[in-house]
PDB file of all heavy atoms in Angstrom:
ATOM      1  N   VAL A  26      70.090 134.700 275.105  1.00  0.00           N
ATOM      2  CA  VAL A  26      69.044 134.949 274.115  1.00  0.00           C
ATOM      3  C   VAL A  26      69.625 135.667 272.902  1.00  0.00           C
ATOM      4  O   VAL A  26      69.318 135.352 271.764  1.00  0.00           O
ATOM      5  CB  VAL A  26      67.900 135.779 274.731  1.00  0.00           C
ATOM      6  CG1 VAL A  26      66.882 136.153 273.681  1.00  0.00           C
ATOM      7  CG2 VAL A  26      67.244 134.998 275.846  1.00  0.00           C
ATOM      8  N   GLN A  36      67.614 134.591 262.517  1.00  0.00           N
ATOM      9  CA  GLN A  36      66.493 135.527 262.559  1.00  0.00           C
ATOM     10  C   GLN A  36      66.142 136.033 261.155  1.00  0.00           C
ATOM     11  O   GLN A  36      64.963 136.141 260.801  1.00  0.00           O
ATOM     12  CB  GLN A  36      66.821 136.717 263.473  1.00  0.00           C
ATOM     13  CG  GLN A  36      66.982 136.355 264.919  1.00  0.00           C
ATOM     14  CD  GLN A  36      65.676 135.911 265.548  1.00  0.00           C
ATOM     15  OE1 GLN A  36      64.628 136.479 265.292  1.00  0.00           O
ATOM     16  NE2 GLN A  36      65.753 134.900 266.386  1.00  0.00           N
ATOM     17  N   VAL A  74      53.757 141.016 265.559  1.00  0.00           N
ATOM     18  CA  VAL A  74      54.603 139.875 265.923  1.00  0.00           C
ATOM     19  C   VAL A  74      56.028 140.338 266.221  1.00  0.00           C
ATOM     20  O   VAL A  74      56.662 139.867 267.164  1.00  0.00           O
ATOM     21  CB  VAL A  74      54.581 138.817 264.794  1.00  0.00           C
ATOM     22  CG1 VAL A  74      55.642 137.765 264.999  1.00  0.00           C
ATOM     23  CG2 VAL A  74      53.212 138.190 264.703  1.00  0.00           C
ATOM     24  N   VAL A  77      56.131 141.936 269.719  1.00  0.00           N
ATOM     25  CA  VAL A  77      56.067 140.931 270.782  1.00  0.00           C
ATOM     26  C   VAL A  77      57.404 140.196 270.894  1.00  0.00           C
ATOM     27  O   VAL A  77      57.883 139.923 271.994  1.00  0.00           O
ATOM     28  CB  VAL A  77      54.903 139.953 270.526  1.00  0.00           C
ATOM     29  CG1 VAL A  77      54.972 138.748 271.433  1.00  0.00           C
ATOM     30  CG2 VAL A  77      53.579 140.665 270.702  1.00  0.00           C
ATOM     31  N   HIS A  78      58.026 139.884 269.765  1.00  0.00           N
ATOM     32  CA  HIS A  78      59.324 139.192 269.772  1.00  0.00           C
ATOM     33  C   HIS A  78      60.392 140.050 270.461  1.00  0.00           C
ATOM     34  O   HIS A  78      61.131 139.568 271.319  1.00  0.00           O
ATOM     35  CB  HIS A  78      59.735 138.860 268.339  1.00  0.00           C
ATOM     36  CG  HIS A  78      61.077 138.247 268.218  1.00  0.00           C
ATOM     37  ND1 HIS A  78      61.385 137.020 268.759  1.00  0.00           N
ATOM     38  CD2 HIS A  78      62.206 138.690 267.628  1.00  0.00           C
ATOM     39  CE1 HIS A  78      62.650 136.743 268.501  1.00  0.00           C
ATOM     40  NE2 HIS A  78      63.173 137.738 267.816  1.00  0.00           N
ATOM     41  N   VAL A  79      60.456 141.317 270.101  1.00  0.00           N
ATOM     42  CA  VAL A  79      61.446 142.211 270.708  1.00  0.00           C
ATOM     43  C   VAL A  79      61.153 142.395 272.205  1.00  0.00           C
ATOM     44  O   VAL A  79      62.077 142.375 273.034  1.00  0.00           O
ATOM     45  CB  VAL A  79      61.472 143.575 269.975  1.00  0.00           C
ATOM     46  CG1 VAL A  79      62.288 144.587 270.735  1.00  0.00           C
ATOM     47  CG2 VAL A  79      62.019 143.403 268.569  1.00  0.00           C
ATOM     48  N   ALA A  80      59.882 142.535 272.562  1.00  0.00           N
ATOM     49  CA  ALA A  80      59.529 142.685 273.973  1.00  0.00           C
ATOM     50  C   ALA A  80      59.898 141.440 274.768  1.00  0.00           C
ATOM     51  O   ALA A  80      60.418 141.539 275.889  1.00  0.00           O
ATOM     52  CB  ALA A  80      58.030 142.978 274.111  1.00  0.00           C
ATOM     53  N   ASN A  81      59.663 140.262 274.205  1.00  0.00           N
ATOM     54  CA  ASN A  81      60.046 139.019 274.881  1.00  0.00           C
ATOM     55  C   ASN A  81      61.557 138.929 275.064  1.00  0.00           C
ATOM     56  O   ASN A  81      62.040 138.499 276.114  1.00  0.00           O
ATOM     57  CB  ASN A  81      59.547 137.800 274.109  1.00  0.00           C
ATOM     58  CG  ASN A  81      58.072 137.577 274.278  1.00  0.00           C
ATOM     59  OD1 ASN A  81      57.469 138.037 275.241  1.00  0.00           O
ATOM     60  ND2 ASN A  81      57.477 136.863 273.348  1.00  0.00           N
ATOM     61  N   MET A  82      62.311 139.324 274.049  1.00  0.00           N
ATOM     62  CA  MET A  82      63.771 139.283 274.158  1.00  0.00           C
ATOM     63  C   MET A  82      64.260 140.275 275.209  1.00  0.00           C
ATOM     64  O   MET A  82      65.148 139.955 276.014  1.00  0.00           O
ATOM     65  CB  MET A  82      64.417 139.552 272.807  1.00  0.00           C
ATOM     66  CG  MET A  82      64.255 138.403 271.840  1.00  0.00           C
ATOM     67  SD  MET A  82      65.110 138.654 270.293  1.00  0.00           S
ATOM     68  CE  MET A  82      66.799 138.566 270.807  1.00  0.00           C
ATOM     69  N   LEU A  83      63.706 141.486 275.222  1.00  0.00           N
ATOM     70  CA  LEU A  83      64.109 142.475 276.222  1.00  0.00           C
ATOM     71  C   LEU A  83      63.787 141.999 277.636  1.00  0.00           C
ATOM     72  O   LEU A  83      64.611 142.143 278.551  1.00  0.00           O
ATOM     73  CB  LEU A  83      63.431 143.812 275.950  1.00  0.00           C
ATOM     74  CG  LEU A  83      63.984 144.623 274.786  1.00  0.00           C
ATOM     75  CD1 LEU A  83      63.119 145.850 274.537  1.00  0.00           C
ATOM     76  CD2 LEU A  83      65.417 145.041 275.056  1.00  0.00           C
ATOM     77  N   CYS A  84      62.604 141.451 277.820  1.00  0.00           N
ATOM     78  CA  CYS A  84      62.246 140.924 279.146  1.00  0.00           C
ATOM     79  C   CYS A  84      63.190 139.808 279.563  1.00  0.00           C
ATOM     80  O   CYS A  84      63.624 139.752 280.719  1.00  0.00           O
ATOM     81  CB  CYS A  84      60.808 140.415 279.148  1.00  0.00           C
ATOM     82  SG  CYS A  84      59.584 141.715 279.109  1.00  0.00           S
ATOM     83  N   ALA A  85      63.514 138.915 278.624  1.00  0.00           N
ATOM     84  CA  ALA A  85      64.411 137.811 278.950  1.00  0.00           C
ATOM     85  C   ALA A  85      65.798 138.311 279.345  1.00  0.00           C
ATOM     86  O   ALA A  85      66.381 137.849 280.324  1.00  0.00           O
ATOM     87  CB  ALA A  85      64.513 136.854 277.758  1.00  0.00           C
ATOM     88  N   LEU A  88      65.448 140.303 282.821  1.00  0.00           N
ATOM     89  CA  LEU A  88      65.196 139.424 283.957  1.00  0.00           C
ATOM     90  C   LEU A  88      66.379 138.513 284.247  1.00  0.00           C
ATOM     91  O   LEU A  88      66.646 138.182 285.398  1.00  0.00           O
ATOM     92  CB  LEU A  88      63.930 138.601 283.725  1.00  0.00           C
ATOM     93  CG  LEU A  88      62.623 139.383 283.793  1.00  0.00           C
ATOM     94  CD1 LEU A  88      61.456 138.503 283.384  1.00  0.00           C
ATOM     95  CD2 LEU A  88      62.410 139.948 285.179  1.00  0.00           C
ATOM     96  N   GLY A  97      68.687 133.701 280.336  1.00  0.00           N
ATOM     97  CA  GLY A  97      67.763 134.390 279.442  1.00  0.00           C
ATOM     98  C   GLY A  97      66.911 133.468 278.605  1.00  0.00           C
ATOM     99  O   GLY A  97      65.764 133.788 278.288  1.00  0.00           O
ATOM    100  N   CYS A  98      67.452 132.312 278.240  1.00  0.00           N
ATOM    101  CA  CYS A  98      66.686 131.376 277.415  1.00  0.00           C
ATOM    102  C   CYS A  98      65.467 130.844 278.160  1.00  0.00           C
ATOM    103  O   CYS A  98      64.409 130.651 277.571  1.00  0.00           O
ATOM    104  CB  CYS A  98      67.577 130.228 276.956  1.00  0.00           C
ATOM    105  SG  CYS A  98      68.910 130.754 275.875  1.00  0.00           S
ATOM    106  N   SER A  99      65.617 130.605 279.443  1.00  0.00           N
ATOM    107  CA  SER A  99      64.477 130.142 280.251  1.00  0.00           C
ATOM    108  C   SER A  99      63.394 131.210 280.317  1.00  0.00           C
ATOM    109  O   SER A  99      62.205 130.911 280.182  1.00  0.00           O
ATOM    110  CB  SER A  99      64.932 129.786 281.661  1.00  0.00           C
ATOM    111  OG  SER A  99      65.881 128.753 281.620  1.00  0.00           O
ATOM    112  N   TRP A 100      63.793 132.461 280.516  1.00  0.00           N
ATOM    113  CA  TRP A 100      62.818 133.555 280.562  1.00  0.00           C
ATOM    114  C   TRP A 100      62.156 133.747 279.205  1.00  0.00           C
ATOM    115  O   TRP A 100      60.955 134.007 279.131  1.00  0.00           O
ATOM    116  CB  TRP A 100      63.475 134.856 281.003  1.00  0.00           C
ATOM    117  CG  TRP A 100      63.730 134.913 282.467  1.00  0.00           C
ATOM    118  CD1 TRP A 100      64.939 134.930 283.088  1.00  0.00           C
ATOM    119  CD2 TRP A 100      62.754 134.946 283.503  1.00  0.00           C
ATOM    120  NE1 TRP A 100      64.778 134.968 284.447  1.00  0.00           N
ATOM    121  CE2 TRP A 100      63.440 134.987 284.732  1.00  0.00           C
ATOM    122  CE3 TRP A 100      61.368 134.950 283.520  1.00  0.00           C
ATOM    123  CZ2 TRP A 100      62.796 135.027 285.950  1.00  0.00           C
ATOM    124  CZ3 TRP A 100      60.721 134.993 284.739  1.00  0.00           C
ATOM    125  CH2 TRP A 100      61.431 135.034 285.930  1.00  0.00           C
ATOM    126  N   TYR A 101      62.929 133.623 278.127  1.00  0.00           N
ATOM    127  CA  TYR A 101      62.355 133.785 276.788  1.00  0.00           C
ATOM    128  C   TYR A 101      61.340 132.682 276.519  1.00  0.00           C
ATOM    129  O   TYR A 101      60.233 132.937 276.027  1.00  0.00           O
ATOM    130  CB  TYR A 101      63.444 133.795 275.722  1.00  0.00           C
ATOM    131  CG  TYR A 101      62.897 134.040 274.343  1.00  0.00           C
ATOM    132  CD1 TYR A 101      62.502 135.315 273.952  1.00  0.00           C
ATOM    133  CD2 TYR A 101      62.740 133.010 273.441  1.00  0.00           C
ATOM    134  CE1 TYR A 101      61.977 135.553 272.701  1.00  0.00           C
ATOM    135  CE2 TYR A 101      62.217 133.231 272.185  1.00  0.00           C
ATOM    136  CZ  TYR A 101      61.835 134.501 271.817  1.00  0.00           C
ATOM    137  OH  TYR A 101      61.306 134.725 270.578  1.00  0.00           O
ATOM    138  N   ALA A 102      61.694 131.438 276.846  1.00  0.00           N
ATOM    139  CA  ALA A 102      60.776 130.320 276.633  1.00  0.00           C
ATOM    140  C   ALA A 102      59.504 130.509 277.454  1.00  0.00           C
ATOM    141  O   ALA A 102      58.393 130.284 276.944  1.00  0.00           O
ATOM    142  CB  ALA A 102      61.462 129.009 277.002  1.00  0.00           C
ATOM    143  N   ALA A 103      59.646 130.949 278.695  1.00  0.00           N
ATOM    144  CA  ALA A 103      58.468 131.169 279.539  1.00  0.00           C
ATOM    145  C   ALA A 103      57.574 132.265 278.961  1.00  0.00           C
ATOM    146  O   ALA A 103      56.345 132.116 278.925  1.00  0.00           O
ATOM    147  CB  ALA A 103      58.903 131.529 280.960  1.00  0.00           C
ATOM    148  N   SER A 104      58.162 133.356 278.492  1.00  0.00           N
ATOM    149  CA  SER A 104      57.344 134.447 277.957  1.00  0.00           C
ATOM    150  C   SER A 104      56.668 134.062 276.649  1.00  0.00           C
ATOM    151  O   SER A 104      55.521 134.459 276.397  1.00  0.00           O
ATOM    152  CB  SER A 104      58.186 135.714 277.794  1.00  0.00           C
ATOM    153  OG  SER A 104      59.193 135.512 276.842  1.00  0.00           O
ATOM    154  N   VAL A 105      57.331 133.267 275.811  1.00  0.00           N
ATOM    155  CA  VAL A 105      56.715 132.808 274.563  1.00  0.00           C
ATOM    156  C   VAL A 105      55.552 131.874 274.866  1.00  0.00           C
ATOM    157  O   VAL A 105      54.490 131.962 274.239  1.00  0.00           O
ATOM    158  CB  VAL A 105      57.758 132.138 273.640  1.00  0.00           C
ATOM    159  CG1 VAL A 105      57.095 131.394 272.510  1.00  0.00           C
ATOM    160  CG2 VAL A 105      58.716 133.176 273.098  1.00  0.00           C
ATOM    161  N   ILE A 106      55.733 130.979 275.838  1.00  0.00           N
ATOM    162  CA  ILE A 106      54.661 130.061 276.194  1.00  0.00           C
ATOM    163  C   ILE A 106      53.471 130.832 276.752  1.00  0.00           C
ATOM    164  O   ILE A 106      52.312 130.548 276.413  1.00  0.00           O
ATOM    165  CB  ILE A 106      55.172 129.013 277.205  1.00  0.00           C
ATOM    166  CG1 ILE A 106      56.137 128.060 276.495  1.00  0.00           C
ATOM    167  CG2 ILE A 106      54.016 128.235 277.834  1.00  0.00           C
ATOM    168  CD1 ILE A 106      56.905 127.156 277.428  1.00  0.00           C
ATOM    169  N   ILE A 107      53.726 131.816 277.587  1.00  0.00           N
ATOM    170  CA  ILE A 107      52.623 132.626 278.139  1.00  0.00           C
ATOM    171  C   ILE A 107      51.919 133.397 277.018  1.00  0.00           C
ATOM    172  O   ILE A 107      50.685 133.452 276.966  1.00  0.00           O
ATOM    173  CB  ILE A 107      53.154 133.576 279.219  1.00  0.00           C
ATOM    174  CG1 ILE A 107      53.548 132.774 280.450  1.00  0.00           C
ATOM    175  CG2 ILE A 107      52.114 134.631 279.580  1.00  0.00           C
ATOM    176  CD1 ILE A 107      54.295 133.567 281.491  1.00  0.00           C
ATOM    177  N   ASP A 108      52.689 133.982 276.079  1.00  0.00           N
ATOM    178  CA  ASP A 108      52.074 134.690 274.964  1.00  0.00           C
ATOM    179  C   ASP A 108      51.250 133.768 274.081  1.00  0.00           C
ATOM    180  O   ASP A 108      50.173 134.145 273.603  1.00  0.00           O
ATOM    181  CB  ASP A 108      53.141 135.380 274.107  1.00  0.00           C
ATOM    182  CG  ASP A 108      53.683 136.628 274.748  1.00  0.00           C
ATOM    183  OD1 ASP A 108      53.017 137.174 275.637  1.00  0.00           O
ATOM    184  OD2 ASP A 108      54.785 137.069 274.344  1.00  0.00           O
ATOM    185  N   ALA A 109      51.751 132.569 273.847  1.00  0.00           N
ATOM    186  CA  ALA A 109      51.054 131.626 272.958  1.00  0.00           C
ATOM    187  C   ALA A 109      49.795 131.058 273.586  1.00  0.00           C
ATOM    188  O   ALA A 109      48.824 130.780 272.876  1.00  0.00           O
ATOM    189  CB  ALA A 109      52.002 130.501 272.554  1.00  0.00           C
ATOM    190  N   THR A 110      49.791 130.887 274.911  1.00  0.00           N
ATOM    191  CA  THR A 110      48.627 130.276 275.529  1.00  0.00           C
ATOM    192  C   THR A 110      47.618 131.303 276.033  1.00  0.00           C
ATOM    193  O   THR A 110      46.416 131.122 275.873  1.00  0.00           O
ATOM    194  CB  THR A 110      49.057 129.379 276.715  1.00  0.00           C
ATOM    195  OG1 THR A 110      49.837 130.143 277.630  1.00  0.00           O
ATOM    196  CG2 THR A 110      49.848 128.187 276.229  1.00  0.00           C
ATOM    197  N   LEU A 111      48.089 132.375 276.628  1.00  0.00           N
ATOM    198  CA  LEU A 111      47.176 133.368 277.177  1.00  0.00           C
ATOM    199  C   LEU A 111      46.898 134.541 276.230  1.00  0.00           C
ATOM    200  O   LEU A 111      45.968 135.296 276.444  1.00  0.00           O
ATOM    201  CB  LEU A 111      47.719 133.910 278.510  1.00  0.00           C
ATOM    202  CG  LEU A 111      47.937 132.878 279.600  1.00  0.00           C
ATOM    203  CD1 LEU A 111      48.537 133.520 280.832  1.00  0.00           C
ATOM    204  CD2 LEU A 111      46.641 132.162 279.930  1.00  0.00           C
ATOM    205  N   GLY A 112      47.745 134.690 275.239  1.00  0.00           N
ATOM    206  CA  GLY A 112      47.524 135.733 274.260  1.00  0.00           C
ATOM    207  C   GLY A 112      48.149 136.988 274.678  1.00  0.00           C
ATOM    208  O   GLY A 112      48.022 138.059 274.333  1.00  0.00           O
TER     209      GLY A 112
END
Side-chain angles (χ1 to χ4, degrees):
V26 175
Q36 294 292 319
V74 169
V77 168
H78 176 64
V79 169
N81 285 338
M82 288 184 69
L83 285 174
C84 287
L88 289 173
C98 296
S99 299
W100 283 113
Y101 183 76
S104 64
V105 167
I106 290 169
I107 289 170
D108 284 340
T110 55
L111 301 177

